[in-house]
Amino acid sequence: MRETTGVRDKLRLRPVRPAGWWFDGLLLAALVCLTVALATDHLFGLDRGVADWAEEHRPTAARWAAMILNYLGQGTPLTLLAAGLGVVVAVRLRSVRPVLPPVAAFVLTYLTIGPLKVWTARPAPSASVREPFLPPDQTLPLFQHDLPVRFAQSYPSGHVANGIVWYGMLALLLAPLLRTLGHTVGPRLVAVVRVVPPLVVFCTTIYLGWHWLTDSVAGLLLGLLLDRLLHRVPWNDLPLPGPLRKWDRPFISAP
């Protein structure tokens, strides 16, 4: 077991791929540009065309299948699952560190996704066929703060952003859990966990008319940005307060 001290060497960020901050800047710039485009009434034709196509190609069986698959992006169950997995790993390793990533992910998503939804105040495509029964053209613009908040929280897609963040957390915790059981996890399995569920959620939210295409693209950009920030954190080396230093074992393998 490594020695734990109150003073640690300078923390080094963990590597992500693509390396460097340029990709984070590109994601942020793309999100800002997309938001500005929508705020100036651009891309509405694209959103409407995709939504209309989905509505015309949505038989009952496909709709039910998409609704079931869309549960893969439910934020609360994913949060609880990641937190529970963190606790299990923490108990098995006798380390508090596996609990830190889910807590940080919850705080980061809570402070970003929800406030952005409230600030942009955009209805979903389905707002024209269910409460508040808006005219179709009125469902497209952002900043409709005259509507009740519950009817204008479509941008960005929380399902997509949460899916990327929380499946990234599950992949991060899966490897140390399996190591405690005498197994290893290959990079392909990690890639499947991180990519497939968010991709399914991205497609189903659009197909069901629960989000515009640009909502889901914004959720994708935001989710990737938050995921990269969380995976940069050196979870093994963060300084802990004195009472927790007895539970200070590392849980992530060195890259």
Side-chain angles (χ1 to χ4, degrees):
M1 181 184 300
R2 67 178 181 176
E3 179 183 0
T4 58
T5 62
V7 179
R8 294 178 179 272
D9 295 334
K10 184 178 179 180
L11 296 178
R12 293 185 179 181
L13 298 180
R14 299 180 65 241
V16 293
R17 291 187 294 180
W21 291 94
W22 67 270
F23 192 70
D24 304 70
L26 184 62
L27 291 171
L28 181 59
L31 179 60
V32 170
C33 289
L34 179 59
T35 306
V36 170
L38 292 170
T40 54
D41 300 340
H42 291 85
L43 302 177
F44 288 174
L46 175 62
D47 275 337
R48 174 56 65 190
V50 172
D52 290 345
W53 181 92
E55 185 175 3
E56 294 168 1
H57 297 80
R58 196 186 299 144
T60 301
R63 180 172 65 87
W64 276 103
M67 289 175 63
I68 293 171
L69 290 171
N70 194 256
Y71 278 106
L72 291 170
Q74 290 290 331
T76 300
L78 287 174
T79 302
L80 295 175
L81 180 60
L85 188 58
V87 170
V88 171
V89 177
V91 171
R92 294 188 66 86
L93 291 178
R94 297 187 60 81
S95 170
V96 73
R97 293 189 178 278
V99 179
L100 301 180
V103 171
F106 173 78
V107 173
L108 191 57
T109 54
Y110 182 82
L111 294 177
T112 54
I113 299 173
L116 276 174
K117 284 176 168 290
V118 174
W119 176 63
T120 54
R122 190 189 200 189
S126 57
S128 63
V129 296
R130 62 180 65 175
E131 201 175 6
F133 298 104
L134 301 174
D137 290 344
Q138 193 180 337
T139 59
L140 286 158
L142 276 64
F143 307 123
Q144 299 195 48
H145 295 288
D146 54 322
L147 294 173
V149 172
R150 68 183 185 277
F151 297 136
Q153 296 191 55
S154 187
Y155 183 91
S157 169
H159 274 64
V160 175
N162 275 312
I164 293 172
V165 169
W166 288 113
Y167 283 103
M169 288 293 98
L170 292 175
L172 182 71
L173 294 166
L174 181 62
L177 174 64
L178 291 179
R179 282 200 305 272
T180 67
L181 300 173
H183 302 286
T184 58
V185 56
R188 290 186 179 180
L189 177 58
V190 172
V192 168
V193 172
R194 296 191 64 178
V195 173
V196 173
L199 182 60
V200 170
V201 173
F202 179 92
C203 295
T204 54
T205 53
I206 299 169
Y207 180 69
L208 291 166
W210 292 351
H211 282 286
W212 301 104
L213 171 63
T214 50
D215 296 341
S216 291
V217 172
L220 175 67
L221 296 170
L222 178 60
L224 288 173
L225 180 60
L226 299 180
D227 178 78
R228 286 173 63 84
L229 292 176
L230 288 165
H231 278 80
R232 274 195 169 93
V233 178
W235 300 110
N236 286 345
D237 301 313
L238 292 179
L240 296 176
L244 297 179
R245 289 175 190 162
K246 292 182 180 180
W247 289 62
D248 192 24
R249 297 180 62 184
F251 73 101
I252 302 175
S253 297

